[in-house]
Amino acid sequence: MSLLTTSSQTVGPYVKIGFESFTVVELAPPSVSGERITLSGRVADGDGKPVNDAVIEIWQANALGKYAHPEDAQDKPVEAGFRGFGRCLTDAKGGYRFTTIKPGRVPGPAGAPQAPHIVVTVFMRGLLKHLITRVYFPDEAANAEDPVLKLVPADRRATLIARRSPRDKAALEWNVILQGQDETVFFDY
Amino acid sequence: MNKAREEGIITSITGYRRPYFATQPAYLYPGYRSTLKRAPTQPLVFLPHTLSEVTGPVFGYDDVKPTDSDLTRQHDGEPLGERIVVSGRILDENARPVAHALVELWQANAAGRYRHAVDDHDAPLDPNFTGVGRVLTDGEGRYRFVTIKPGAYPWRNHYNAWRPAHLHFSLFGLGLVQRLVTQMYFPGDPLLEYDPMYNSVPDDKARPRMISSFDWETTIPDIALAYRYDIVLRGRDATPMETSRS
């Protein structure tokens, strides 16, 4: 039997009331192992204006490259207290911020390991269906061989790689630019 | 333990089917003005479904409280408006139930006003209604909410624009690419034919699937009318991703 997939509709301008009681901006309690990082940035529309009514959701593996999910059959441990899910509503300046740990490498198509990355889902008024993109890490040799990054035109790959803050090595900055010259790469998922 | 497993490598991931043609709206839909400055303008990049996409956050009964699914009992008093039951099943395209899926709901009150700072519609707030619910589906993919029928409300998209009454639904399936946010509409609503959101879905069969149906069987005598709303998330591809690359 085949059923027709339900159509997507926008979250609209009032998504905050739906999601604010279930926001997760600190993903890793102290007991969780791994390199502590912050991931922050802003969301901007086609006029470069901040988007103050967006929702950013992130999904990631733990420091060993294991997802807290039954389909991850790798022989690696999950860690208590680490779900790997975050959700942040943007503020008046279009900003978002998560504290988490850097994920380990997970297998990709045909078993080739992927470079460390975080999957990002973006919702907002004006998006009839959500966007999916990824954040990769700066100074990461594995990026050159990443099977998904290789599918992205070379001149647009930089939009998926976070920048390290010059003031704080643990602070990564990454923006979501919806349109224009520096438009973030979004995926057909 | 074989070598691939030892190295932590998984060689075959079964991805999810891409949505059937025209069941999903395009990003750019000029009839809905906000898409103009927010829809991507560059081509999307095809994303193979890897372990990162077929996994996704897992939720449990610790994430929801019993009162989360009854929006009429979240305050000391009862909210104003028509009490309704909304229930249904979360299935995938292969008609398999999606068990233990997190379902989130938000909505306007009976007067068509959201409890949100930017909603300046000249209609009363209801101190006994927040308009936010959450529930986990059972082992058969079933969910149920008790709430108040929301009112229609005006918006600024075009002259004399009104949104048909609707409930916002957010769903997490088993895998990240099953994630869906949609809106549930009510049968017989004359505003639907004027609504750009509803009409952004090109497929003539898919569009009315967003309309719930009156359900006499789950209607509670003397208490509340009931509506049924089933939601279909993407289903698994029949074959592993590596061999079915489109």
Side-chain angles (χ1 to χ4, degrees):
Chain A
M1 185 167 187
S2 299
L3 303 174
L4 272 187
T5 328
T6 302
S7 307
S8 174
Q9 295 273 271
T10 182
V11 294
Y14 311 120
V15 61
K16 183 179 172 186
I17 72 160
F19 285 174
E20 72 178 346
S21 61
F22 205 142
T23 56
V24 181
V25 295
E26 291 179 9
L27 282 76
S31 61
V32 171
S33 65
E35 179 190 335
R36 257 61 199 174
I37 57 165
T38 64
L39 176 66
S40 67
R42 53 188 286 273
V43 183
D45 72 9
D47 290 328
K49 289 184 186 145
V51 174
N52 63 8
D53 54 6
V55 179
I56 307 281
E57 290 180 354
I58 62 174
W59 170 239
Q60 65 166 97
N62 68 16
L64 300 168
K66 171 85 174 178
Y67 284 107
H69 188 280
E71 277 185 58
D72 186 339
Q74 299 176 89
D75 191 15
K76 298 172 180 178
V78 295
E79 286 186 272
F82 187 74
R83 174 142 59 190
F85 172 72
R87 174 190 274 172
C88 185
L89 309 173
T90 57
D91 61 24
K93 293 176 177 166
Y96 74 90
R97 186 173 193 276
F98 295 101
T99 62
T100 182
I101 49 102
K102 182 180 174 182
R105 300 180 72 173
V106 301
Q114 304 188 54
H117 65 274
I118 294 174
V119 184
V120 179
T121 309
V122 182
F123 302 87
M124 68 184 76
R125 169 179 64 85
L127 285 182
L128 286 160
K129 55 188 173 185
H130 57 265
L131 295 165
I132 290 186
T133 180
R134 283 184 170 202
V135 190
Y136 287 83
F137 292 78
D139 318 317
E140 190 74 47
N143 286 347
E145 292 305 317
D146 183 77
V148 172
L149 215 41
K150 275 203 256 188
L151 299 173
V152 176
D155 60 342
R156 300 188 65 207
R157 277 178 209 159
T159 69
L160 300 185
I161 299 168
R163 285 172 301 282
R164 205 174 291 284
S165 161
R167 294 174 302 280
D168 177 2
K169 278 183 67 173
L172 297 171
E173 294 166 1
W174 179 77
N175 298 329
V176 178
I177 309 296
L178 293 166
Q179 296 180 343
Q181 203 174 359
D182 301 318
E183 184 173 320
T184 304
V185 167
F186 301 108
F187 290 103
D188 172 0
Y189 53 88
Chain B
M1 193 182 291
N2 65 34
K3 187 168 182 292
R5 181 79 185 273
E6 222 163 75
E7 290 170 0
I9 290 169
I10 289 173
T11 50
S12 92
I13 293 285
T14 307
Y16 283 84
R17 286 214 296 274
R18 307 280 156 166
Y20 196 69
F21 181 73
T23 59
Q24 304 301 318
Y27 286 108
L28 182 64
Y29 186 74
Y32 173 25
R33 250 178 28 198
S34 297
T35 66
L36 295 173
K37 295 292 182 189
R38 295 185 167 196
T41 61
Q42 300 282 329
L44 303 178
V45 174
F46 181 87
L47 181 65
H49 295 170
T50 73
L51 192 60
S52 303
E53 287 77 31
V54 301
T55 56
V58 176
F59 299 98
Y61 289 103
D62 290 347
D63 294 310
V64 293
K65 300 190 298 289
T67 50
D68 287 346
S69 60
D70 188 341
L71 287 74
T72 67
R73 293 183 187 277
Q74 296 174 346
H75 297 270
D76 290 339
E78 288 201 65
L80 293 171
E82 185 185 337
R83 202 163 33 224
I84 59 171
V85 175
V86 177
S87 70
R89 291 181 82 193
I90 313 299
L91 303 166
D92 71 14
E93 290 170 304
N94 304 317
R96 294 197 184 97
V98 185
H100 309 126
L102 181 67
V103 183
E104 296 169 290
L105 174 153
W106 69 101
Q107 63 169 99
N109 67 21
R113 176 94 185 261
Y114 286 86
R115 189 184 277 243
H116 187 296
V118 306
D119 186 353
D120 56 3
H121 176 34
D122 181 19
L125 281 169
D126 184 339
N128 292 315
F129 192 68
T130 305
V132 180
R134 186 179 299 133
V135 75
L136 211 62
T137 61
D138 69 11
E140 302 299 316
R142 288 182 295 240
Y143 75 91
R144 181 178 183 272
F145 288 106
V146 178
T147 186
I148 293 293
K149 191 172 184 184
Y153 58 85
W155 60 313
R156 298 189 178 87
N157 190 66
H158 53 275
Y159 173 70
N160 203 9
W162 291 78
R163 290 301 327 280
H166 60 275
L167 306 179
H168 293 270
F169 271 84
S170 156
L171 295 304
F172 287 87
L174 190 62
L176 188 94
V177 289
Q178 281 189 309
R179 185 94 174 79
L180 177 74
V181 172
T182 187
Q183 299 182 23
M184 183 202 101
Y185 301 101
F186 290 87
D189 192 327
L191 293 172
L192 284 169
E193 67 177 282
Y194 299 92
D195 184 46
M197 308 276 198
Y198 177 72
N199 289 296
S200 69
V201 174
D203 189 280
D204 289 339
K205 290 189 189 69
R207 217 164 33 247
R209 300 289 178 95
M210 295 185 286
I211 305 173
S212 57
S213 53
F214 168 66
D215 189 7
W216 184 84
E217 295 183 358
T218 53
T219 288
I220 310 171
D222 304 327
I223 304 288
L225 291 181
Y227 293 88
R228 187 175 172 87
Y229 185 55
D230 293 337
I231 296 173
V232 180
L233 306 180
R234 293 160 72 171
R236 284 291 169 129
D237 242 329
T239 47
M241 158 66 216
E242 286 88 333
T243 55
S244 66
R245 177 87 173 270
S246 51

